[in-house]
Amino acid sequence: MNILITGGTGLLGQRLVNYLLSKGMSPRLLSRREDLNATVPQFEWDIKNKKVDLNSLENVEVIIHLAGANVAEGRWTKRRKKEILESRIDSTQLLYDTIAKLEHKPTTLICASATGFYGLQNFDHTSSEDEKPGLDFLAQVCEQWEAEADRFKDLGLRIVKLRTGVVLDGSGGALQKMAQPIKYLIGAPLGSGKQYVPWIHWKDWCGAVDHLVKERALSGAFNLVAPQAVTNAQLTRLIAETIRKPLLLPNVPAFVLQLILGEMSSIVLRGHKVSSEKLEESGYRFEYKSASRALFELISQD
Ligand SMILES: NC(=O)c1ccc[n+]([C@@H]2O[C@H](COP(=O)([O-])OP(=O)(O)OC[C@H]3O[C@@H](n4cnc5c(N)ncnc54)[C@H](OP(=O)(O)O)[C@@H]3O)[C@@H](O)[C@H]2O)c1
């Protein structure tokens, strides 16, 4: 199966590329940087100037759209927020306009989104896929991004939206940011520590995407989160236990994080439970249901 991945050079994209290759599929990338000689060819697109190398779409059955400016890099200034939103909306519109002109269209669009779609809820609230979007910045980004993805239905494509939680990966992302201070004995839970972290092991993330690619009757939004909910304090403690370091410091007060990170502090200070039921009922079997098992595997690979 030919699969085109946008944003495939990123943390999740690279994991997914290797996963799909190991399953005998043929991924190729659509990137801001061309490299046609790479083992997995990287075709170029220029989102601003609305240009796409059409060779990238030849015989492609599935598009997995992950591209977008990283939400956890840099303070959320007005300019950065514009980039976070526009990189997702403009790229999805460019894909739409390009595919609309194709005689042989792909059958499926799998588009990234995030559990941030549900917004800032009470810690004990559990979100499932039929819930309305929240009102904060990230929720609005997800809502608009998903709305752009939904337009592909007009072109006859099957649409799947990946409401991904925090992907745990030993080689980068949130886990590295949490584990690093713990290694140097300056780690601590953030804020009250009672906020939930809707997490998923990267292998389950890839497995779930593969499942959603193959099960052609499935469509709509799916939460990509593990079944076991853990709070920030529980996750911090589990990481410390797994790397055998003590937690010596009290919780980092919320106001300190708000001062350092500004509005972006909501990513780490807020969080509630997110249901994995729909994904499980669709037939996906998690390899890592518990955070302790996931962390043991991820950190022992380090
Ligand atoms: N990692 C997580 O825990 C997580 C959780 C929830 C949702 N997600 C979503 O899943 C997607 C993939 O996540 P990731 O962690 O792999 O992201 P990432 O490492 O930041 O990679 C995203 C990729 O998007 C492209 N990109 C970056 N800035 C861009 C811009 N301004 N305009 C257009 N393209 C740009 C880049 O590819 P090129 O340089 O090749 O163009 C980059 O490699 C993202 O949309 C993210 O929001 C991730």
Side-chain angles (χ1 to χ4, degrees), residues 230-253:
V230 286
T231 65
N232 173 275
Q234 288 166 336
L235 188 61
T236 308
R237 227 172 289 126
L238 280 173
I239 297 171
E241 278 168 23
T242 314
I243 58 180
R244 294 168 196 265
K245 295 282 181 188
L247 287 176
L248 302 173
L249 299 177
N251 291 23
V252 183

Tab-separated table of all heavy atoms in Angstrom, residues 230-253:
chain	number	residue	atom	x	y	z
A	230	VAL	N	-3.437	8.335	34.250
A	230	VAL	CA	-2.518	8.670	35.351
A	230	VAL	C	-2.446	10.195	35.511
A	230	VAL	O	-2.543	10.933	34.530
A	230	VAL	CB	-1.068	8.148	35.146
A	230	VAL	CG1	-0.970	6.660	35.358
A	230	VAL	CG2	-0.507	8.555	33.798
A	231	THR	N	-2.262	10.622	36.739
A	231	THR	CA	-2.112	12.059	36.971
A	231	THR	C	-0.649	12.452	36.742
A	231	THR	O	0.235	11.587	36.676
A	231	THR	CB	-2.497	12.437	38.414
A	231	THR	OG1	-1.565	11.814	39.291
A	231	THR	CG2	-3.921	12.032	38.748
A	232	ASN	N	-0.419	13.760	36.686
A	232	ASN	CA	0.951	14.250	36.513
A	232	ASN	C	1.839	13.773	37.672
A	232	ASN	O	2.979	13.358	37.466
A	232	ASN	CB	0.931	15.779	36.427
A	232	ASN	CG	2.317	16.380	36.424
A	232	ASN	OD1	2.900	16.599	37.480
A	232	ASN	ND2	2.870	16.619	35.241
A	233	ALA	N	1.290	13.797	38.908
A	233	ALA	CA	2.089	13.369	40.076
A	233	ALA	C	2.408	11.878	39.986
A	233	ALA	O	3.547	11.457	40.253
A	233	ALA	CB	1.321	13.672	41.360
A	234	GLN	N	1.414	11.074	39.576
A	234	GLN	CA	1.657	9.620	39.460
A	234	GLN	C	2.691	9.328	38.375
A	234	GLN	O	3.590	8.507	38.570
A	234	GLN	CB	0.343	8.899	39.119
A	234	GLN	CG	-0.624	8.847	40.275
A	234	GLN	CD	-2.045	8.450	39.831
A	234	GLN	OE1	-2.436	8.627	38.677
A	234	GLN	NE2	-2.806	7.923	40.767
A	235	LEU	N	2.570	10.027	37.242
A	235	LEU	CA	3.511	9.790	36.142
A	235	LEU	C	4.926	10.201	36.553
A	235	LEU	O	5.899	9.491	36.289
A	235	LEU	CB	3.053	10.550	34.891
A	235	LEU	CG	3.813	10.251	33.607
A	235	LEU	CD1	3.702	8.780	33.214
A	235	LEU	CD2	3.276	11.105	32.447
A	236	THR	N	5.034	11.357	37.242
A	236	THR	CA	6.349	11.835	37.687
A	236	THR	C	6.975	10.794	38.629
A	236	THR	O	8.154	10.448	38.503
A	236	THR	CB	6.203	13.195	38.420
A	236	THR	OG1	5.460	14.072	37.573
A	236	THR	CG2	7.551	13.817	38.730
A	237	ARG	N	6.156	10.277	39.553
A	237	ARG	CA	6.654	9.272	40.509
A	237	ARG	C	7.077	7.994	39.774
A	237	ARG	O	8.131	7.431	40.058
A	237	ARG	CB	5.563	8.955	41.536
A	237	ARG	CG	6.103	8.975	42.971
A	237	ARG	CD	4.997	8.848	44.010
A	237	ARG	NE	4.169	10.036	44.101
A	237	ARG	CZ	2.834	10.042	43.984
A	237	ARG	NH1	2.160	8.943	43.767
A	237	ARG	NH2	2.159	11.170	44.087
A	238	LEU	N	6.278	7.575	38.813
A	238	LEU	CA	6.603	6.345	38.073
A	238	LEU	C	7.909	6.492	37.290
A	238	LEU	O	8.710	5.565	37.230
A	238	LEU	CB	5.473	6.010	37.091
A	238	LEU	CG	4.239	5.329	37.673
A	238	LEU	CD1	3.146	5.230	36.620
A	238	LEU	CD2	4.604	3.923	38.169
A	239	ILE	N	8.105	7.679	36.701
A	239	ILE	CA	9.353	7.901	35.945
A	239	ILE	C	10.530	7.830	36.916
A	239	ILE	O	11.541	7.172	36.657
A	239	ILE	CB	9.334	9.263	35.191
A	239	ILE	CG1	8.232	9.283	34.144
A	239	ILE	CG2	10.689	9.549	34.547
A	239	ILE	CD1	7.993	10.651	33.489
A	240	ALA	N	10.374	8.486	38.074
A	240	ALA	CA	11.457	8.501	39.073
A	240	ALA	C	11.766	7.076	39.537
A	240	ALA	O	12.943	6.680	39.632
A	240	ALA	CB	11.057	9.384	40.258
A	241	GLU	N	10.736	6.289	39.778
A	241	GLU	CA	10.954	4.896	40.219
A	241	GLU	C	11.651	4.098	39.130
A	241	GLU	O	12.553	3.319	39.403
A	241	GLU	CB	9.598	4.230	40.517
A	241	GLU	CG	9.055	4.577	41.899
A	241	GLU	CD	7.582	4.153	42.047
A	241	GLU	OE1	7.122	3.243	41.316
A	241	GLU	OE2	6.907	4.769	42.877
A	242	THR	N	11.229	4.325	37.883
A	242	THR	CA	11.795	3.536	36.781
A	242	THR	C	13.268	3.875	36.567
A	242	THR	O	14.062	2.990	36.260
A	242	THR	CB	10.985	3.773	35.471
A	242	THR	OG1	9.611	3.688	35.781
A	242	THR	CG2	11.318	2.762	34.412
A	243	ILE	N	13.629	5.157	36.722
A	243	ILE	CA	15.056	5.491	36.536
A	243	ILE	C	15.813	5.454	37.875
A	243	ILE	O	16.977	5.822	37.943
A	243	ILE	CB	15.284	6.832	35.781
A	243	ILE	CG1	14.614	8.005	36.501
A	243	ILE	CG2	14.829	6.771	34.360
A	243	ILE	CD1	14.826	9.342	35.789
A	244	ARG	N	15.127	4.994	38.909
A	244	ARG	CA	15.730	4.815	40.256
A	244	ARG	C	16.376	6.095	40.787
A	244	ARG	O	17.544	6.125	41.162
A	244	ARG	CB	16.777	3.695	40.223
A	244	ARG	CG	16.168	2.337	39.952
A	244	ARG	CD	17.265	1.346	39.630
A	244	ARG	NE	16.718	0.168	39.007
A	244	ARG	CZ	16.397	-0.950	39.645
A	244	ARG	NH1	16.572	-1.030	40.936
A	244	ARG	NH2	15.910	-1.975	38.999
A	245	LYS	N	15.583	7.170	40.753
A	245	LYS	CA	16.037	8.439	41.334
A	245	LYS	C	14.982	8.909	42.323
A	245	LYS	O	13.784	8.739	42.073
A	245	LYS	CB	16.199	9.517	40.243
A	245	LYS	CG	17.288	9.222	39.239
A	245	LYS	CD	18.647	9.533	39.793
A	245	LYS	CE	19.731	9.252	38.755
A	245	LYS	NZ	21.078	9.361	39.288
A	246	PRO	N	15.402	9.522	43.428
A	246	PRO	CA	14.398	10.023	44.378
A	246	PRO	C	13.820	11.356	43.901
A	246	PRO	O	14.468	12.086	43.158
A	246	PRO	CB	15.225	10.236	45.649
A	246	PRO	CG	16.614	10.502	45.152
A	246	PRO	CD	16.783	9.755	43.868
A	247	LEU	N	12.588	11.635	44.325
A	247	LEU	CA	12.012	12.966	44.068
A	247	LEU	C	12.223	13.779	45.341
A	247	LEU	O	11.606	13.484	46.366
A	247	LEU	CB	10.517	12.862	43.755
A	247	LEU	CG	10.121	12.301	42.399
A	247	LEU	CD1	8.605	12.172	42.312
A	247	LEU	CD2	10.650	13.155	41.253
A	248	LEU	N	13.094	14.768	45.272
A	248	LEU	CA	13.484	15.480	46.498
A	248	LEU	C	12.730	16.788	46.689
A	248	LEU	O	12.641	17.301	47.793
A	248	LEU	CB	14.992	15.779	46.467
A	248	LEU	CG	15.901	14.543	46.313
A	248	LEU	CD1	17.355	14.964	46.128
A	248	LEU	CD2	15.765	13.622	47.512
A	249	LEU	N	12.190	17.323	45.601
A	249	LEU	CA	11.624	18.681	45.680
A	249	LEU	C	10.105	18.665	45.776
A	249	LEU	O	9.449	17.728	45.305
A	249	LEU	CB	12.051	19.479	44.438
A	249	LEU	CG	13.564	19.654	44.266
A	249	LEU	CD1	13.861	20.394	42.972
A	249	LEU	CD2	14.165	20.398	45.447
A	250	PRO	N	9.527	19.720	46.380
A	250	PRO	CA	8.064	19.818	46.387
A	250	PRO	C	7.549	20.157	44.977
A	250	PRO	O	8.331	20.543	44.099
A	250	PRO	CB	7.796	20.988	47.344
A	250	PRO	CG	9.041	21.808	47.280
A	250	PRO	CD	10.184	20.862	47.012
A	251	ASN	N	6.239	20.043	44.789
A	251	ASN	CA	5.626	20.363	43.480
A	251	ASN	C	6.051	21.757	43.007
A	251	ASN	O	6.216	22.668	43.828
A	251	ASN	CB	4.105	20.357	43.597
A	251	ASN	CG	3.560	18.962	43.837
A	251	ASN	OD1	4.272	18.092	44.330
A	251	ASN	ND2	2.308	18.758	43.490
A	252	VAL	N	6.228	21.909	41.690
A	252	VAL	CA	6.530	23.237	41.143
A	252	VAL	C	5.217	24.039	41.145
A	252	VAL	O	4.234	23.607	40.536
A	252	VAL	CB	7.054	23.144	39.687
A	252	VAL	CG1	7.441	24.519	39.165
A	252	VAL	CG2	8.193	22.159	39.575
A	253	PRO	N	5.185	25.191	41.856
A	253	PRO	CA	3.910	25.926	41.924
A	253	PRO	C	3.423	26.364	40.538
A	253	PRO	O	4.232	26.714	39.662
A	253	PRO	CB	4.249	27.149	42.783
A	253	PRO	CG	5.532	26.821	43.457
A	253	PRO	CD	6.268	25.844	42.588
